């Protein structure tokens, strides 16, 4: 590996997805580390430039995924950090088809290029606890060895399974490369802007009638710390990355000062669609199943191998609450949509009760 400091940190690092929030912050943090020689941020030609101010010390290259092979070879890249994943479909930008193209096909092309990069010595891949799925058959706690009981219904979970399958193949073909896969719990915190934070920022939060799933969160700053350690140190393997402890959904909603609106389980997808219409964010089946069944993972391997324990799920969520203490501005249109959500939930419960009596 090209010398980058006494720790053996990589000299040349390529970070994919630097036009996105996570990728930009990881690249900026690496560029500020004197142990790292050179940081190159890679994005497709059409990527936005909203986070340019963060990337003053990062060399940016815009290239299609199919052309990245030449880049890895020409620049004598030591390490690749793959963060260019989409967690929810965006109907304005190609929907589910575009999401799968970026997540699955993009990763496959990147790994094919990495396989033929002679100087490459380290690969770090962003994954997700969505790989375990979420169903009524789940164990109380997932370890890294736990196989999903069912294939995830959501597109992101299925993409993650494909991505990790490609990484396993890469490990067999390039055993000389230290490959690290990080299964992140949903991000939260004072600066994170995700589907999950938008869900809890709603004044009225749709939940499933009779369900109170256990949830884990990961503070965004702790995600950056784990990624940074994965790059400048050697931590081969697959790791669950989450804040210790759990919060029940009802606890999280109360802590956030919101009001839960129970709907019947078949109606939650409709509630999510209504929330999208009201401008609260994008929700897919991955998020719906999480809010129905919950998910808890064991992080003892991370704590043991990295010597680092993320702040607890409760502490991460409290940081999010402090940053959003004043809530969001509720327009007349959003208020009307929220009222309709309540009415729809009441009708569903009444209809179900009437059906049981008959």
């Amino acid at each position: 590996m090209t010398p980058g400091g006494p720790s053996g940190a990589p000299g040349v690092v390529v970070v994919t997805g630097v036009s996105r929030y996570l990728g930009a912050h990881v690249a900026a943090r690496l560029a500020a580390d004197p142990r790292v020689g050179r940081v190159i941020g890679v994005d497709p030609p059409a990527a936005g430039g909203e986070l340019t101010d963060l990337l003053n010390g990062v060399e940016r290259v815009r290239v299609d995924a199919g052309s990245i092979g030449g880049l890895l070879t020409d620049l004598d890249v030591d390490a690749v950090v793959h963060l260019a994943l989409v967690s929810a479909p965006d109907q304005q930008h190609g929907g589910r088809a575009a999401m799968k193209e970026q997540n699955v096909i993009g990763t496959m092309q990147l790994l094919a290029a990495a396989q033929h990069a002679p100087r490459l010595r380290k690969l770090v891949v962003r994954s997700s606890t969505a790989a375990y799925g979420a169903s009524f058959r789940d164990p109380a706690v997932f370890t890294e060895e736990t196989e999903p009981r069912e294939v995830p219904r959501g597109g992101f979970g299925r993409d993650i399974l494909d991505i990790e399958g490609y990484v396993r193949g890469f490990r067999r073909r390039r055993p000389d490369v230290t490959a690290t896969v990080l299964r992140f719990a949903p991000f939260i915190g004072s600066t994170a802007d995700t589907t999950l934070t938008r869900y809890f920022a709603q004044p009225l939060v749709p939940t499933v009638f009779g369900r109170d799933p256990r949830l884990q969160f990961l503070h965004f700053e702790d995600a950056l710390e784990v990624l940074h350690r994965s790059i400048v140190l050697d931590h081969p393997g697959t790791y669950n990355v989450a804040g210790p402890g759990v919060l029940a959904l009802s606890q999280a909603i109360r802590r956030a000062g919101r009001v839960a609106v129970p709907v019947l389980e078949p109606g939650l997808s409709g509630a999510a669609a209504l929330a999208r219409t009201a401008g609260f964010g994008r929700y897919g089946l991955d998020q719906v199943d999480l809010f129905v069944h919950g998910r808890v993972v064991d992080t003892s391997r991370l704590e043991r191998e990295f010597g680092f324990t993320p702040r607890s799920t409760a502490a991460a969520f409290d940081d999010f609450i402090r940053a959003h203490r004043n809530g969001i501005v509720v327009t007349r249109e959003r208020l009307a949509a929220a009222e309709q959500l309540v009415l729809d939930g009441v009708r569903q419960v009444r209809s179900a009760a009437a059906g049981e009596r008959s």
Side-chain angles (χ1 to χ4, degrees):
M1 189 174 288
T2 303
S7 66
V12 182
V13 183
V14 161
V15 181
T16 69
V18 293
S19 65
R20 296 178 175 275
Y21 194 79
L22 178 63
H25 281 79
V26 169
R29 185 163 175 159
L30 288 172
D33 189 334
R35 295 173 294 177
V36 178
R38 184 180 181 191
V39 181
I40 302 166
V42 175
D43 262 318
E50 296 84 357
L51 299 169
T52 302
D53 291 345
L54 273 176
L55 302 172
N56 291 332
V58 178
E59 303 174 44
R60 297 194 67 179
V61 177
R62 297 187 181 274
V63 61
D64 291 321
S67 305
I68 200 170
L71 178 72
L72 298 185
T73 301
D74 294 344
L75 296 177
D76 289 336
V77 172
D78 300 297
V80 171
V81 188
H82 184 40
L83 305 175
L85 301 184
V86 179
S87 60
D90 186 344
Q91 298 306 321
Q92 296 181 344
H93 296 88
R96 169 60 184 150
M99 175 183 173
K100 186 170 184 177
E101 177 75 20
Q102 178 163 333
N103 289 348
V104 179
I105 305 304
T107 300
M108 182 174 63
Q109 292 174 325
L110 174 69
L111 293 179
Q115 180 182 339
H116 299 290
R119 295 185 63 90
L120 186 70
R121 292 295 176 267
K122 184 169 295 187
L123 172 71
V124 178
V125 177
R126 173 193 175 184
S127 185
S128 169
T129 55
Y132 300 114
S135 77
F136 69 93
R137 300 176 59 201
D138 288 347
V141 178
F142 288 98
T143 70
E144 287 85 354
E145 286 75 27
T146 307
E147 295 290 335
R149 303 295 176 89
E150 295 183 1
V151 175
R153 291 198 306 159
F156 184 57
R158 295 198 301 271
D159 288 352
I160 289 297
L161 290 180
D162 288 340
I163 289 167
E164 290 202 7
Y166 293 141
V167 174
R168 287 193 294 272
F170 175 85
R171 282 171 169 155
R172 290 192 295 270
R173 293 187 294 271
R174 287 292 305 267
D176 59 311
V177 175
T178 299
T180 304
V181 174
L182 301 173
R183 290 177 178 162
F184 290 117
F187 296 147
I188 207 160
S190 59
T191 60
D193 180 20
T194 67
T195 302
L196 186 71
T197 59
R198 291 189 290 272
Y199 172 78
F200 285 112
Q202 300 175 88
L204 301 171
V205 181
T207 62
V208 176
F209 187 75
R211 299 294 188 101
D212 196 13
R214 299 177 306 146
L215 303 174
Q216 276 182 316
F217 307 125
L218 175 67
H219 196 284
F220 183 76
E221 293 297 327
D222 293 332
L224 292 182
E225 178 65 24
V226 171
L227 279 162
H228 194 96
R229 293 187 183 208
S230 298
I231 298 157
V232 300
L233 302 171
D234 287 341
H235 293 292
T238 299
Y239 300 89
N240 292 329
V241 190
V246 301
L247 278 177
L249 179 58
S250 61
Q251 291 176 307
I253 293 172
R254 286 196 300 271
R255 281 174 180 248
R258 307 307 185 193
V259 177
V261 182
V263 298
L264 295 184
E265 188 170 335
L268 185 59
S269 297
L274 182 60
R276 286 197 302 270
T277 303
F280 292 124
R282 304 193 304 271
Y283 303 97
L285 289 175
D286 295 291
Q287 288 79 23
V288 170
D289 287 346
L290 181 64
F291 299 146
V292 172
H293 303 290
R295 185 187 302 119
V296 178
V297 299
D298 175 75
T299 60
S300 57
R301 177 182 293 178
L302 173 82
E303 296 169 14
R304 182 177 62 253
E305 299 296 333
F306 279 69
F308 173 74
T309 301
R311 71 200 73 183
S312 71
T313 284
F317 194 77
D318 286 347
D319 189 49
F320 160 73
I321 293 171
R322 284 190 292 271
H324 296 78
R325 189 171 298 279
N326 294 326
I328 60 174
V329 176
V330 183
T331 64
R332 181 179 300 175
E333 292 77 13
R334 288 188 175 189
L335 182 58
E339 290 173 345
Q340 185 62 47
L341 180 62
V342 173
L343 292 174
D344 288 345
V346 170
R347 292 191 188 101
Q348 289 174 2
V349 173
R350 286 177 176 173
S351 177
E356 290 178 358
R357 286 195 298 269
S358 63

